[in-house]
Amino acid sequence: MNAEIDGPVLDDHMHLDPVHGRGVDAAREFADSGGTHLLVVNKPSWHLLDSLPEGAEDFRKVFELTVDVVERASDELPGRAWPVLGVHPGLVSQLVDDGRDPEDARDLMQTGLDTAAEYVAEGPALALKSGRPHYDVSDAVWDASNDVMRHGFDLAAETGCAIQLHAESSEDFTEVAEWAEARGLPPERVVKHYAGGRLAGITKSVISHKDELELAIEEDEPFMMETDFIDDPDRPGAVLGVGTVPSRVRWLREEGYDEAIERAHVDTPAAVYGIDTEATLE
């Protein structure tokens, strides 16, 4: 770990692809860049398995691949990595395009979340992943997607975990926060991945562009940092490179934002996920 960072550096949303991508090598580069902790979100089945899921066992294959690569990635880190498991909201469109009606797609995606929740309840996974399309869809697909997301809230409340959302660009998720709260899930345990620096209702995982991080600091609210690195050999460095969060932490340190670093890499992860990034750091 680089001396000038001097503390935990968490990337809140990264993908590691052990089948087609760099996998553990990407985690090793993250550590070499000064990173210490990772939340690794499973890639969709059509990326890992090159096919659409048909039932719980197909989701389980994806989750097993993810849990395995996360265990191996942890060995490369000064801290550790945790799996975040669930369903990508874009799956609904893949399934509908494949001939299913939106209700059938909803049911299958909820099965995927049920399966992911087993991994949280039994220990290897830290949190769930759900959401809704960030692009235009029919009313039926939108309704089905919201049903899937609310089901995720039910499961997160039951298992006592957080849930990350992949959703549309917006600064207002107060309605979503109300849906979570109505199901017994504290809104602060709902995380908008790829968030900008301003967000109402739920916790923001800010994509690590300097302007968005500065806005998040100005807002003076809990936040985390992420790259959404997708580990795709056809798109190296997308969305942001694996070393971006450590690089941004150094920049924040140079700018005197020590309190913000503590908030993003220690305080907010503890409040949202119940993890101690300091105690798990060698």
Side-chain angles (χ1 to χ4, degrees), residues 143 198 201 278:
D143 291 343
R198 180 180 292 119
E278 291 179 316

Side-chain angles (χ1 to χ4, degrees), residues 6-280:
D6 188 31
V9 175
L10 169 73
D11 190 327
D12 184 57
H13 188 105
M14 178 186 284
H15 303 281
L16 296 177
D17 187 333
V19 179
H20 306 294
R22 297 178 60 199
V24 174
D25 286 343
R28 188 177 299 115
E29 181 184 340
F30 174 72
D32 290 344
S33 301
T36 63
H37 294 77
L38 286 174
L39 265 63
V40 179
V41 183
N42 65 271
K43 295 190 76 170
S45 64
W46 65 89
H47 287 297
L48 281 182
L49 305 180
D50 298 322
S51 63
L52 293 176
E54 297 183 0
E57 286 311 306
D58 289 330
F59 288 108
R60 202 175 299 279
K61 290 175 186 175
V62 169
F63 300 155
E64 288 292 338
L65 284 168
T66 305
V67 168
D68 176 70
V69 75
V70 170
E71 287 178 355
R72 291 185 287 121
S74 279
D75 292 338
E76 304 296 329
L77 301 176
R80 61 162 296 182
W82 293 272
V84 176
L85 304 180
V87 293
H88 191 288
L91 177 59
V92 68
S93 298
Q94 299 267 349
L95 293 170
V96 169
D97 289 347
D98 196 50
R100 293 179 182 259
D101 62 45
E103 292 75 20
D104 285 343
R106 174 200 64 204
D107 294 347
L108 180 57
M109 292 171 72
Q110 289 179 342
T111 295
L113 282 171
D114 291 339
T115 307
E118 294 175 16
Y119 284 79
V120 176
E122 294 166 8
L126 178 69
L128 296 173
K129 153 75 180 291
S130 186
R132 62 191 183 191
H134 62 278
Y135 48 87
D136 290 338
V137 293
S138 68
D139 288 346
V141 168
W142 183 251
D143 291 343
S145 299
N146 278 320
D147 285 345
V148 172
M149 184 169 64
R150 286 188 288 255
H151 185 65
F153 295 162
D154 287 329
L155 294 169
E158 289 171 14
T159 56
C161 74
I163 184 168
Q164 289 195 10
L165 301 184
H166 178 121
E168 73 277 7
S169 296
S170 173
E171 294 183 354
D172 186 359
F173 274 75
T174 52
E175 182 183 41
V176 169
E178 290 166 1
W179 291 348
E181 200 156 32
R183 286 158 176 79
L185 179 64
E188 59 268 21
R189 304 204 78 186
V190 181
V191 179
K192 169 82 166 67
H193 120 79
Y194 205 103
R198 180 180 292 119
L199 184 68
I202 59 178
T203 299
K204 55 201 171 201
S205 181
V206 180
I207 188 69
S208 293
H209 298 302
K210 289 184 177 180
D211 56 342
E212 298 296 352
L213 293 172
E214 287 179 321
L215 179 56
I217 293 167
E218 289 172 14
E219 291 290 297
D220 197 27
E221 295 171 343
F223 76 99
M224 292 175 286
M225 296 169 59
E226 68 167 76
T227 57
D228 192 22
F229 174 72
I230 61 173
D231 199 9
D232 182 345
D234 294 329
R235 298 174 62 196
V239 173
L240 294 176
V242 291
T244 303
V245 168
S247 174
R248 294 294 187 259
V249 169
R250 287 192 194 89
W251 167 72
L252 290 171
R253 186 77 77 200
E254 291 167 2
E255 297 295 316
Y257 291 127
D258 292 358
E259 184 180 331
I261 294 170
E262 187 88 1
R263 178 180 301 168
H265 299 276
V266 179
D267 299 340
T268 306
V272 172
Y273 301 112
I275 57 177
D276 189 333
T277 54
E278 291 179 316
T280 51

